[in-house]
Amino acid sequence: MFDGIQRRVVSLWFPRLASDRALRLHPVEGPFALTLKQQNANRIYCLNAAAAQQGLHQGMPYADARAFCPSLQSRMAQPEQDRRFLHTLRRWATRYCPWVGLEGEDGLVMDITGSAHLFGGEEAMLADMRMGLMRAGLSAQIGLADTRGAAWALAHYGEGVAPGGDALPALKSLPVAALRIDDRMSITLRRLGLHTIGDLAQTARAPLTRRFGPGLLLRLDQALGTQPEEISPYADPPHYAVRMTLPEPIGLLSDVMAGAERLLVQLCAKLRTQEVGARNLCITLRRVDQGCQRVELQLARPLRDPQRILPLFERGLSEVDAGFGIDQLRLEATWVETLPAQQISHVSGGGKDKLDDLISRLGTRIGLENIQRFLPADSHIPERSFIVAPAAYSDPASGWVSAQPRPICLFPPEPIAGADARPPTRFRWRRMALTCARTIGPERIAPEWWLEDENWRSGLRDYWRVETREGRRLWLFYTPQNPGWFVQGEFA
């Protein structure tokens, strides 16, 4: 049912978004282009107006571009940074209306229905947009119409404003590519003599549907307003940060811990709502002299329990210099991970929680990456049968399978004297004279031929477990192809 309010849509297109962003950070004079490796060649990804005037275009090989324009300056493109910048522009556009969505990788679409009068009308609103973008150093083309398709067409092929009502007069002179169709369909339509949207609108619909399918006429109807097309605003990701401004400065550790506890309760409530847990936390303390101090906390496991997190902050907060007092606290979860709700069980998990808390406490002092654990690896080579991983970023594994006992301590092979394939009766190792009391073996281990390893160039190894009269329990091996004896490990 028509409610008396005419829908109005704005399309913002940034034809040089990537190059404009790069030049905002590091301005240059003259032709400039961003390059990206595509199809095994370094090609132009985006360029400024000066480079376009030299005849360069997007997708052109960079070597050809330098030949045409020797003064061309270039940098490597950063598509991920460009996407983040587009999201920043989307947040800026919400000052004009709440319904702002993304239009591809270089555009925005805005439903300004009912909000233009807040800026003095549509013309004044568009002028304010252009002025803001110009001050930011961004080139943009703006289209305004009753439909999303018409606004997109005007922004890309004929920047302007379509009056309310019938959109066909404003679109009929635009090329058929303005209907957001693919290049192959656009070329085919031009070969048939349908060069503009007006030509397409006057053509019988049945032959077009048989030739091109329903997609072409759907785009035409969306642009003319006979088919609806929604604008879905892009939802901001959850922001896991809370802040507290104090009426009076504080400086005692007990007061700071009390403030941190209140912030943790609020933050953990947000985390619980989103079913995530914090891995990295940062609390920023602002002093009355405007100085700031930061205390970071890395957790061994994602957490959202204030009572478990708060004691871990105590050591870092005790080292803070409060100066003349702290008047603001800000707590932010800089890294979160999924932590779904779990079924409450009568089986207590307190042992694992205490281990995680211990790892977190030690990690705040020496770094979480320095607390490591051994994990099994799929290899029969002794030194490759395990991997070392940070305990905070891995789970303990129980799949340790070994047909033969392995020493607790492994080290690089150390040569000893030996005469034949049997373990020597007496030998010296690490300046100690040792005598064999009992030997078990041999266990033959062949090298993994598909891997390059200098230590296994000697070929096969025959391993022996040797118990000495002096109490040492060693792991020796003999190399038959290049005769020699070595010690590689020691049993407990």
Side-chain angles (χ1 to χ4, degrees):
M1 180 178 178
F2 180 64
D3 57 5
I5 300 178
Q6 182 66 43
R7 188 186 189 195
R8 300 294 279 171
V9 179
V10 170
S11 178
L12 281 173
W13 178 42
F14 306 97
R16 299 185 179 91
L17 177 68
S19 59
D20 288 345
R21 183 195 65 82
L23 292 175
R24 274 167 50 89
L25 300 176
H26 304 286
V28 298
E29 296 293 337
F32 173 80
L34 294 174
T35 62
L36 190 67
K37 189 172 183 180
Q38 299 173 335
Q39 300 175 355
N40 295 327
N42 202 19
R43 299 179 181 274
I44 292 182
Y45 176 75
C46 189
L47 65 168
N48 65 352
Q53 292 174 359
Q54 298 290 329
L56 309 184
H57 57 86
Q58 186 177 3
M60 185 179 188
Y62 179 64
D64 297 346
R66 287 298 304 270
F68 279 102
C69 182
S71 61
L72 178 66
Q73 303 179 64
S74 66
R75 299 178 199 151
M76 290 299 297
Q78 297 177 311
E80 181 59 32
Q81 296 296 329
D82 299 334
R83 283 189 286 270
R84 293 181 182 178
F85 186 58
L86 184 61
H87 284 285
T88 302
L89 292 174
R90 185 202 61 80
R91 290 194 296 270
W92 164 81
T94 55
R95 70 187 300 267
Y96 298 103
C97 66
W99 291 79
V100 182
L102 301 181
E103 191 76 85
E105 297 183 352
D106 56 2
L108 301 175
V109 58
M110 307 162 55
D111 190 343
I112 64 168
T113 305
S115 62
H117 70 281
L118 301 175
F119 296 85
E122 294 177 352
E123 292 294 338
M125 175 186 280
L126 297 185
D128 189 74
M129 290 182 188
R130 291 190 182 94
M131 184 60 65
L133 295 171
M134 186 182 302
R135 286 197 298 264
L138 300 175
S139 56
Q141 295 182 203
I142 306 177
L144 172 61
D146 293 344
T147 65
R148 180 176 182 174
W152 188 93
L154 291 172
H156 285 73
Y157 291 91
E159 185 177 14
V161 177
D166 187 8
L168 183 57
L171 301 179
K172 64 180 182 180
S173 61
L174 300 183
V176 290
L179 292 177
R180 296 175 294 171
I181 58 179
D182 58 68
D183 294 338
R184 181 179 298 178
M185 186 181 297
S186 175
I187 294 172
T188 305
L189 288 171
R190 291 200 301 268
R191 288 176 177 173
L192 295 175
L194 303 176
H195 297 279
T196 64
I197 295 178
D199 298 336
L200 188 64
Q202 296 174 1
T203 304
R205 299 172 66 91
L208 292 175
T209 303
R210 287 195 297 268
R211 178 69 181 270
F212 299 100
L216 174 61
L217 294 181
L218 175 63
R219 286 301 192 187
L220 177 62
D221 293 340
Q222 287 175 343
L224 299 180
T226 57
Q227 284 286 345
E229 185 177 9
E230 296 299 326
I231 298 176
S232 299
Y234 187 89
D236 287 321
H239 184 57
Y240 303 109
V242 290
R243 182 175 57 185
M244 176 192 299
T245 301
L246 305 171
E248 294 291 338
I250 60 175
L252 297 177
L253 176 61
S254 58
D255 295 337
V256 176
M257 290 291 290
E261 183 178 11
R262 293 181 60 182
L263 293 179
L264 273 172
V265 171
Q266 300 176 34
L267 179 62
C268 290
K270 287 186 177 181
L271 298 174
R272 191 173 297 106
T273 302
Q274 300 294 329
E275 293 193 351
V276 296
R279 285 297 300 265
N280 285 6
L281 290 165
C282 177
I283 185 168
T284 304
L285 311 173
R286 191 187 69 182
R287 304 189 306 193
V288 294
D289 60 358
Q290 302 303 310
C292 291
Q293 296 196 35
R294 294 163 58 93
V295 177
E296 295 188 4
L297 176 64
Q298 295 181 339
L299 301 175
R301 289 291 181 271
L303 288 180
R304 56 169 178 250
D305 185 357
Q307 301 305 320
R308 290 180 59 189
I309 299 175
L310 182 63
L312 304 177
F313 265 120
E314 185 172 3
R315 179 176 179 273
L317 293 177
S318 64
E319 299 176 354
V320 169
D321 180 11
F324 294 102
I326 296 169
D327 62 359
Q328 187 183 91
L329 291 83
R330 184 176 186 272
L331 179 64
E332 181 181 8
T334 56
W335 179 13
V336 298
E337 289 184 359
T338 303
L339 184 61
Q342 297 180 351
Q343 177 71 34
I344 298 177
S345 173
H346 67 280
V347 180
S348 175
K352 183 178 184 304
D353 293 343
K354 290 181 180 179
L355 176 60
D356 293 339
D357 292 346
L358 175 61
I359 294 175
S360 298
R361 287 180 179 275
L362 296 175
T364 58
R365 300 188 180 189
I366 64 175
L368 286 178
E369 65 280 357
N370 295 321
I371 305 174
Q372 300 174 334
R373 64 160 48 102
F374 292 97
L375 299 175
D378 186 14
S379 177
H380 65 271
I381 301 298
E383 54 267 35
R384 288 181 179 166
S385 61
F386 64 91
I387 58 175
V388 181
Y393 308 116
S394 60
D395 295 322
S398 58
W400 292 91
V401 179
S402 178
Q404 299 290 338
R406 292 290 181 260
I408 297 297
C409 179
L410 274 177
F411 41 81
E414 300 176 1
I416 59 173
D420 53 19
R422 299 281 304 178
T425 304
R426 294 182 178 83
F427 59 93
R428 292 188 63 85
W429 174 66
R430 294 184 177 179
R431 299 183 180 180
M432 294 182 293
L434 302 176
T435 303
C436 288
R438 182 185 178 192
T439 61
I440 302 176
E443 176 192 355
R444 174 159 291 186
I445 298 180
E448 295 176 339
W449 56 266
W450 57 90
L451 296 176
E452 291 290 337
D453 191 343
E454 286 291 334
N455 295 325
W456 284 80
R457 293 279 184 173
S458 56
L460 300 174
R461 292 181 181 181
D462 291 336
Y463 280 89
W464 294 76
R465 283 180 284 156
V466 175
E467 296 182 8
T468 64
R469 298 184 183 277
E470 291 75 15
R472 297 282 183 170
R473 302 176 67 242
L474 303 178
W475 206 38
L476 282 65
F477 70 84
Y478 174 72
T479 54
Q481 296 173 337
N482 187 14
W485 280 94
F486 300 85
V487 181
Q488 192 180 0
E490 185 171 9
F491 293 89

